[in-house]
Amino acid sequence: MAASSGTNTAGRPVRLPRSARRKQLLAAAQEVFVAQGYHAAAMDDIADRAGVSKPVLYQHFPGKLELYLALLDTHGDALVGKVRAAMAATSDNKERVAGSMRAYFEFVDHESEAFRLVFESDLRNEPAVRERVDRVERLCIEAIAETIMGDTGAARDQAELLAAGLVGISVTAAQFWLAGGRRVDKDQAMEMLAALAWRGIASFPMQGEPHGEPADGIG
C-alpha cells in the first residue's frame, strides 16, 4: 500500500511542508529497501509507495543512494543519541554500562528495520555508506570513552579501546539476539550482557582509588 500523501476534501493532493514530505519519502524508501534490498529497489517503487510522482521525489533526493544515506544518517543519529543519553542519565557507572546495552537492544527491538539498514547493509563496500556506519560506531565509542576518561583518568587511547569493546559486545549480541528470533527475554538478555561487561569494566578503578580493588571499583 502506498504511503498517504494527504488529500483535501476535494480529493486533491495536499502540499506538505518540506520537512513532512521528506519524512514521508524516507519512510517509504525504508519500506522498499527492507522489502527488496537496495540493489533491487527502484526510484519508481519508492515514489509509488509514497504516493507521489517521481519529479516530487527527485526534488528532495537526487538519487537512490542519497535516499539511503539520509536513512542511515537519521537512524544513526538516533542510536548515538540513545547512547549519549544513557551516559548522561546517571553517575552510577554500573547503570551506565546497563544503559549502553539497553540503547542497542531497544534500538534493535523497536527499530529492527533501521538496525538492519545501519549494521547489515549490503552496501558496506560503498565508501559513503561505510563512512556513515563508521561514524555511528565512532560517535558511540566516543560517548562512552569520555565517561570512562572522566571517571577513571584513563588515557584516551585506553578509554576508547574499552569503549570499543563495550560497543562491540552490544552490537554483536543485539544482532545475534535479533537474528535468533528474540528467544531470550529482552530484559534478561540486557541484564546478562550488562553483567558480563560490568565484571570487566569494573576492574578499572575510579580516580584516586588503588588498582586491584574489588570488582565494583569503578561503580
Side-chain angles (χ1 to χ4, degrees):
M1 180 182 294
S4 174
S5 58
T7 58
N8 59 21
T9 55
R12 292 189 295 271
V14 173
R15 189 177 184 87
L16 294 177
R18 184 172 183 84
S19 60
R21 179 68 76 192
R22 178 182 173 87
K23 184 176 180 180
Q24 176 202 19
L25 296 175
L26 286 173
Q30 178 168 313
E31 292 176 7
V32 174
F33 286 141
V34 169
Q36 301 181 19
Y38 176 85
H39 294 291
M43 292 294 272
D44 282 330
D45 299 327
I46 295 168
D48 287 345
R49 183 65 62 92
V52 302
S53 65
K54 278 182 68 176
V56 169
L57 179 57
Y58 280 112
Q59 285 174 10
H60 293 265
F61 300 98
K64 186 168 69 169
L65 179 59
E66 286 75 16
L67 259 171
Y68 196 87
L69 294 177
L71 280 170
L72 291 184
D73 286 339
T74 298
H75 295 309
D77 289 346
L79 177 57
V80 171
K82 288 179 181 293
V83 173
R84 286 175 172 165
M87 295 300 101
T90 177
S91 60
D92 184 323
N93 282 301
K94 189 173 183 179
E95 286 299 315
R96 282 172 169 160
V97 171
S100 66
M101 297 293 171
R102 189 177 302 110
Y104 282 90
F105 273 84
E106 293 290 351
F107 186 67
V108 164
D109 192 30
H110 299 298
E111 302 287 345
S112 58
E113 291 182 356
F115 182 86
R116 290 187 172 103
L117 283 172
V118 175
F119 291 103
E120 299 177 0
S121 171
D122 57 354
L123 286 180
R124 294 292 284 267
N125 292 328
E126 166 65 42
V129 172
R130 180 73 254 171
E131 190 277 330
R132 257 66 172 196
V133 175
D134 287 348
R135 171 182 169 274
V136 172
E137 185 177 86
R138 184 179 69 255
L139 290 176
C140 289
I141 289 171
E142 288 177 357
I144 297 172
E146 290 292 336
T147 299
I148 293 173
M149 289 169 61
D151 288 341
T152 69
R156 178 170 291 279
D157 287 347
Q158 296 172 326
E160 288 181 345
L161 182 60
L162 292 172
L166 286 175
V167 168
I169 291 172
S170 301
V171 172
T172 301
Q175 196 169 27
F176 182 84
W177 178 77
L178 178 64
R182 301 176 170 93
R183 291 194 300 268
V184 177
D185 176 76
K186 183 177 67 175
D187 289 337
Q188 181 185 14
M190 289 188 296
E191 289 174 3
M192 290 169 60
L193 269 296
L196 174 65
W198 177 245
R199 286 183 178 273
I201 199 69
S203 65
F204 292 84
M206 295 284 284
Q207 291 197 68
E209 293 180 354
H211 286 274
E213 288 293 305
D216 61 353
I218 196 174

